[in-house]
Amino acid sequence: MAQLNMVQAINQALSQEMARDDRVLLLGEDVGRDGGVFRVTEGLLERFGRERVLDTPLCESGIMGAAIGMAAYGLRPVPEIQFLGFTYSAFEQLFAHAARLRSRSRGRYSCPMVVRTPYGGGIKAPELHEESTEALFCQVPGLKVVVPSGPYVAKGLLLAALRDPDPVLFLEPTRLYRLLREEVPEGEYLVELGKARVARPGNSVTVVAWGSMLERVLKAVEGYDAEVLDLLTLNPFDSEAIISSVQKTGRLVIVHEAAKTCGFGAEIAATVAEAAILHLRAPILRVTAPDVPVPLAKLIDYYLPDAQQIRFALDEVLQY
Amino acid sequence: MPEVLLANFQTKRLEVLNEKGEADLELLPDLSDAEIWRLYELMLLARIFDERAVALQREGRIGTYPPIRGQEAAQVGSAFALNQKDWLFPSFREMGAHLTLGYPIPQLLQYWGGDERAQKVPSGLNIFPFCVAVGSQIPHAAGAALAARYRRDPVAVVTYFGDGATSKGDFHEAMNLAGVFSLPLVFICQNNQWAISIPLKGQTASATLAQKAIAYGFEGVQVDGNDVFAVYRATRQAVEKARSGAGPTFIECLTYRMADHTTADDAGRYRSGEEVSFWAARDPILRLERFLEGRGLWSPQKREEAAAQAAAIVDAGVAEMEASAPPAAAEIFDEVLATPTPRQAGQRKVR
């Protein structure tokens, strides 16, 4: 089986699905000739032609809005927004239209599209290139939010997202694009949306993470009897998996690279408090970035949660 | 080194029917007397529908409503040039276009009555839901036009919006996409000259809106929006051009919103009675009546008959709208996603 990095795994998923389904089209800035700024779409223009891989003008709202029209017309567009921070100028399209088209047309139109965007910090890029504001998008009913944590799940989740009948925001952690290689089956397989994955079984504490934090958490928990859940889909998220793990371990630590206030960790903590508070033996702790804008390269490592912060939190909840 | 003249541009206005009801026979579209009478009936229907909707809002029988009075020629004339397979991406003030294309009247009223079920467009019509956010429907039309071309469907995609929308980024992004990809797209701007209280001069410093198309590399034309023949002629040409693969067109219908922005607005706060009277004398329905009269096709009695017929259609629509059962609370969970999330399913159960 081939050892692929996440860029190659995503490229393979796109390529295979485009070959299988002629409704799948890519559009975005630099996705064609250049193969995308991270080379995720490399070779797809050559293979599928200009009608299927559209190099657009520089217009995030236009790209998102056009994808909505394409989806309503019966295609399965895959708009790429170059960085999550650039989706802000397409917010209205994503929130007011993509997420609500099925609902506001009472099912006459739907919006099956996958918005791909690099996300998260740790690549020493300029301002707005390292955002992790995933929780903003999870507040919107009608929009699914998926975050792969490695090459294997990235391919399976993307294939599942491409076949989903509703809009999916597919957040690709840039730090992971080339960080790790995994065995990725050449054939097609789906990783179901909405399901978490036990990345490491354990009994004394549950640690929930997603995206690029997973790799950091798995290193930090070495030597602990910790169960690590890789959430994979943030909306809808697998609350059952979290609750049943917490019922077993009695302790919960949530790790995310976004700012703390109204981060997705708050949703998880509240869900566990509602459903399993009597199983808890310790307070729920969140290890997150501070409530400041993502800093530039010199201080990014100070901003992102590190292994030591994660271990401090584990030590604290294990005292109870 | 000398300055070099790179380009010269012109912007044209198309007028076919003047205020006296006299038509330029060279430009008069090739329409039969029956078709012209149908245009008249539809404009009357739009006027009477609109008057009833405003009255229903005043009586508390529907919610806030945006009147279309004065824009009947621009809406009916343009929609009359479309066919069933074309796609329409409207804003929120094109009920005249909806009526022309046969959108059910009870459903139009039901929407403005706050019943979301009304947004489910009947399956024979390729119309998008009303877009309350200004201008954000315009890129959707660009996407549908891309899809139509990819599918080799010989259809035109038409989007309507007002003068205010031309100030928004989405308008410019969609115009640019249309130009770059040479899309089968027709932009129909209802320049009714007021975006709530901001007049056209507060919206743009350009002499016309039509000229904006020049910057995007395709044809823009201004038409007299109170002249149903000019609107029809320009739209007909633009949709045929789109269907044949010759690219986009921008049409500015120069018209006037004779009523308030919505039933929650009071236009008397920001514009003069003289201005409204000036435009009332240029009423698009009056103008067509003069034309029809000149051809011996119109009389006050014929108007009475046509108006009574339209009123009966609207009355039946009002009755049907008011007889429909209210939506059930649990319906808020319907159609949010193809399959509800576990959390939505749980929330629905306890409602």
Side-chain angles (χ1 to χ4, degrees), chain A residues 58-128:
Chain A
L58 206 162
C59 57
E60 284 78 10
S61 189
I63 293 165
M64 198 74 83
I68 292 165
M70 292 163 88
Y73 199 95
L75 303 184
R76 295 204 159 233
V78 185
E80 178 184 301
I81 304 294
Q82 235 159 38
F83 289 91
L84 180 62
F86 302 172
T87 63
Y88 303 159
S89 50
F91 247 42
E92 181 178 19
Q93 288 298 341
L94 199 53
F95 281 38
H97 294 291
R100 306 164 76 122
L101 184 59
R102 180 185 291 281
S103 159
R104 51 192 288 273
S105 68
R106 295 282 91 188
R108 167 70 199 275
Y109 301 107
S110 61
C111 195
M113 66 180 193
V114 179
V115 181
R116 289 184 41 251
T117 182
Y119 132 97
I123 55 162
K124 309 219 186 301
E127 191 174 9
L128 286 168

Side-chain angles (χ1 to χ4, degrees), chain A residues 22-23 25 51-52 54-57 59-63 65-70 72-75 92-93 97 99 101-109 141-144 165-166 235-237 267 271 274, chain B residues 87 116-117 119-123 125-131 133 136 139-140 142-144 146-153 155 168 170 173 176-177 180-181 331-332 334-339 341-343:
Chain A
D22 73 359
R23 296 172 303 170
L25 277 79
E51 281 202 313
R52 303 279 304 277
L54 289 103
D55 270 322
T56 66
C59 57
E60 284 78 10
S61 189
I63 293 165
I68 292 165
M70 292 163 88
Y73 199 95
L75 303 184
E92 181 178 19
Q93 288 298 341
H97 294 291
L101 184 59
R102 180 185 291 281
S103 159
R104 51 192 288 273
S105 68
R106 295 282 91 188
R108 167 70 199 275
Y109 301 107
L143 182 66
K144 294 181 179 174
D166 288 302
N235 195 10
F237 75 105
E267 180 59 45
T271 299
E274 281 174 349
Chain B
W87 280 67
E116 241 182 282
R117 295 175 299 180
Q119 296 228 94
K120 183 163 190 167
V121 174
S123 58
L125 297 171
N126 293 329
I127 303 180
F128 238 47
F130 289 113
C131 187
S136 55
H140 306 164
L146 267 167
R149 198 178 54 185
Y150 176 66
R151 287 293 194 211
R152 311 273 190 272
D153 293 339
V155 302
K168 299 268 291 190
D170 273 349
E173 295 193 18
N176 193 42
L177 284 167
V180 166
F181 291 124
E331 286 185 30
I332 57 174
D334 291 348
E335 307 291 356
V336 179
L337 290 164
T339 308
T341 66
R343 191 169 265 186

Side-chain angles (χ1 to χ4, degrees), chain B residues 278-307:
Chain B
F278 175 85
W279 283 95
R282 283 151 186 79
D283 186 308
I285 294 179
L286 195 59
R287 191 181 301 190
L288 186 57
E289 283 175 352
R290 287 171 181 153
F291 172 83
L292 288 165
E293 191 175 21
R295 294 208 157 189
L297 298 169
W298 185 90
S299 66
Q301 195 199 337
K302 282 192 138 193
R303 179 189 169 111
E304 287 301 311
E305 286 165 14

Side-chain angles (χ1 to χ4, degrees), chain A:
Chain A
M1 212 182 292
Q3 291 273 332
L4 301 184
N5 65 26
M6 205 164 76
V7 167
Q8 294 164 324
I10 293 170
N11 182 280
Q12 193 179 82
L14 289 171
S15 185
Q16 287 177 355
E17 192 65 4
M18 289 177 80
R20 195 188 74 88
D21 183 350
D22 73 359
R23 296 172 303 170
V24 180
L25 277 79
L26 312 185
L27 69 158
E29 295 155 21
D30 308 304
V31 297
R33 180 181 292 200
D34 198 34
V37 288
F38 289 97
R39 307 288 174 262
V40 175
T41 52
E42 190 153 46
L44 299 178
L45 172 67
E46 290 74 9
R47 180 165 176 201
F48 296 101
R50 285 174 51 214
E51 281 202 313
R52 303 279 304 277
V53 182
L54 289 103
D55 270 322
T56 66
L58 206 162
C59 57
E60 284 78 10
S61 189
I63 293 165
M64 198 74 83
I68 292 165
M70 292 163 88
Y73 199 95
L75 303 184
R76 295 204 159 233
V78 185
E80 178 184 301
I81 304 294
Q82 235 159 38
F83 289 91
L84 180 62
F86 302 172
T87 63
Y88 303 159
S89 50
F91 247 42
E92 181 178 19
Q93 288 298 341
L94 199 53
F95 281 38
H97 294 291
R100 306 164 76 122
L101 184 59
R102 180 185 291 281
S103 159
R104 51 192 288 273
S105 68
R106 295 282 91 188
R108 167 70 199 275
Y109 301 107
S110 61
C111 195
M113 66 180 193
V114 179
V115 181
R116 289 184 41 251
T117 182
Y119 132 97
I123 55 162
K124 309 219 186 301
E127 191 174 9
L128 286 168
H129 288 61
E130 304 206 13
E131 302 286 288
S132 50
T133 42
E134 65 270 29
L136 290 178
F137 302 88
C138 294
Q139 173 71 21
V140 191
L143 182 66
K144 294 181 179 174
V145 180
V146 174
V147 189
S149 55
Y152 175 84
V153 292
K155 178 176 171 183
L157 285 167
L158 183 52
L159 286 174
L162 289 165
R163 294 176 198 181
D164 195 275
D166 288 302
V168 178
L169 179 65
F170 196 81
L171 300 172
E172 299 170 3
T174 46
R175 199 170 65 82
L176 301 182
Y177 266 146
R178 296 169 196 279
L179 185 72
L180 26 119
R181 286 179 175 271
E182 282 174 359
E183 291 199 339
V184 175
E186 171 74 24
E188 130 187 345
Y189 62 94
L190 304 180
V191 175
E192 190 184 348
L193 304 188
K195 293 282 179 241
R197 180 179 69 110
V198 178
R200 179 190 194 271
N203 295 298
S204 64
V205 53
T206 301
V207 185
V208 178
W210 54 91
S212 87
M213 282 298 112
L214 189 80
E215 174 261 350
R216 207 158 266 194
V217 165
L218 287 173
K219 281 189 182 148
V221 300
E222 278 171 24
Y224 293 83
D225 185 16
E227 178 147 293
V228 178
L229 289 186
D230 179 5
L231 214 44
L232 299 178
T233 304
L234 302 188
N235 195 10
F237 75 105
D238 192 348
S239 56
E240 290 300 312
I242 299 169
I243 291 163
S244 65
S245 178
V246 170
Q247 284 170 342
K248 178 175 72 171
T249 64
R251 298 179 181 86
L252 176 61
V253 173
I254 304 150
V255 183
H256 63 62
E257 64 170 278
K260 189 167 197 169
T261 301
C262 293
F264 198 69
E267 180 59 45
I268 296 169
T271 299
V272 169
E274 281 174 349
I277 199 162
L278 298 178
H279 290 86
L280 287 170
R281 281 186 259 170
I284 300 169
L285 290 189
R286 287 179 281 167
V287 182
T288 73
D291 286 355
V292 300
V294 181
L296 300 184
K298 296 276 189 205
L299 290 176
I300 187 70
D301 290 334
Y302 178 79
Y303 171 86
L304 295 174
D306 62 20
Q308 194 178 32
Q309 288 169 293
I310 297 165
R311 283 195 292 266
F312 279 155
L314 294 173
D315 292 341
E316 194 177 336
V317 297
L318 286 167
Q319 280 174 22
Y320 289 85

